[in-house]
Amino acid sequence: MAGDITTIARPYAEAVFERAKEVGQLDAWSQALEMLSAVVGDPQMAEQIANPNVPRERIRDIILEVCGDDLLPEASNLLGLLTENARLAALPEITRLFEASRTADQGVRHVLIRSAFDVSESEQAAVSAALAKRFGGQVEVTVETDSTLIGGIEIRAGDLVIDDSVRGKLKQLAHALQF
């Protein structure tokens, strides 16, 4: 299902990103999408969106009322389009894809570091510097602790995976022993 929602969201996210970049409103669109996603993601609102007995126009009006005058006029148009096409559930994914495009456009690469143990600030800085050098640009690092790695570290940057964890090495050994 996650792949389906991404397929639905991608054209909207790309169009919004191109428009936001064209008119120089990346920050404003980012805020608008975050606000819309928060409203649509609210459990009570999600219940109303999923209810076929609630007219789509009513849902759109409620969302516009909650967002108030802070919403860009073009974001209101996007909301109308998503409501009309029954695509409101895609808003959080549209927001995620928009932010990924924005980050990529700025030359920043998202990197996830998973470690079996807590990573200190100095270790994070050292890994960030090494990755920035390797990728030739800025990196935005997210660190997670995952005890299932047993030991070591796993680094993910897009499609690139550097697995230097004990679990990864055990998997490699098990795979090698099968042949």
Side-chain angles (χ1 to χ4, degrees):
M1 177 66 186
D4 293 342
I5 199 77
T6 300
T7 302
I8 291 167
R10 184 170 284 113
Y12 291 103
E14 288 172 356
V16 168
F17 177 76
E18 289 305 318
R19 180 63 183 155
K21 190 173 176 184
E22 178 184 314
V23 296
Q25 292 186 320
L26 288 170
D27 289 341
W29 267 102
S30 183
Q31 291 170 358
L33 289 171
E34 288 292 335
M35 184 185 333
L36 288 169
S37 292
V39 172
V40 169
D42 177 78
Q44 290 177 326
M45 193 68 214
E47 188 178 307
Q48 294 301 309
I49 291 168
N51 185 343
N53 297 322
V54 178
R56 291 180 184 165
E57 298 78 25
R58 178 72 186 125
I59 291 170
R60 181 200 62 222
D61 293 346
I62 292 170
I63 295 170
L64 287 173
E65 197 175 303
V66 170
C67 292
D69 296 334
D70 295 336
L71 203 57
L72 292 170
E74 286 184 324
S76 296
N77 294 345
L78 173 67
L79 176 65
L81 184 65
L82 293 173
T83 304
E84 185 179 311
N85 294 323
R87 299 289 194 225
L88 286 174
L91 251 168
E93 185 65 5
I94 292 169
T95 303
R96 188 189 71 76
L97 292 170
F98 175 88
E99 291 301 331
S101 294
R102 182 178 174 195
T103 300
D105 186 63
Q106 294 170 341
V108 179
R109 194 144 182 191
H110 283 287
V111 178
L112 172 63
I113 298 174
R114 293 174 59 217
S115 172
F117 305 100
D118 289 335
V119 179
S120 72
E121 291 291 326
S122 61
E123 291 169 328
Q124 280 184 41
V127 172
S128 292
L131 291 171
K133 186 175 179 182
R134 175 169 181 171
F135 295 134
Q138 286 183 299
V139 293
E140 187 174 285
V141 176
T142 303
V143 179
E144 293 178 356
T145 304
D146 182 355
S147 61
T148 65
L149 294 176
I150 305 170
I153 193 170
E154 179 184 275
I155 299 170
R156 291 179 179 268
D159 294 336
L160 174 70
V161 177
I162 301 169
D163 189 350
D164 195 32
S165 67
V166 173
R167 181 180 68 190
K169 289 178 180 176
L170 288 173
K171 281 183 182 177
Q172 287 176 348
L173 179 61
H175 182 71
L177 290 174
Q178 289 176 351
F179 294 105

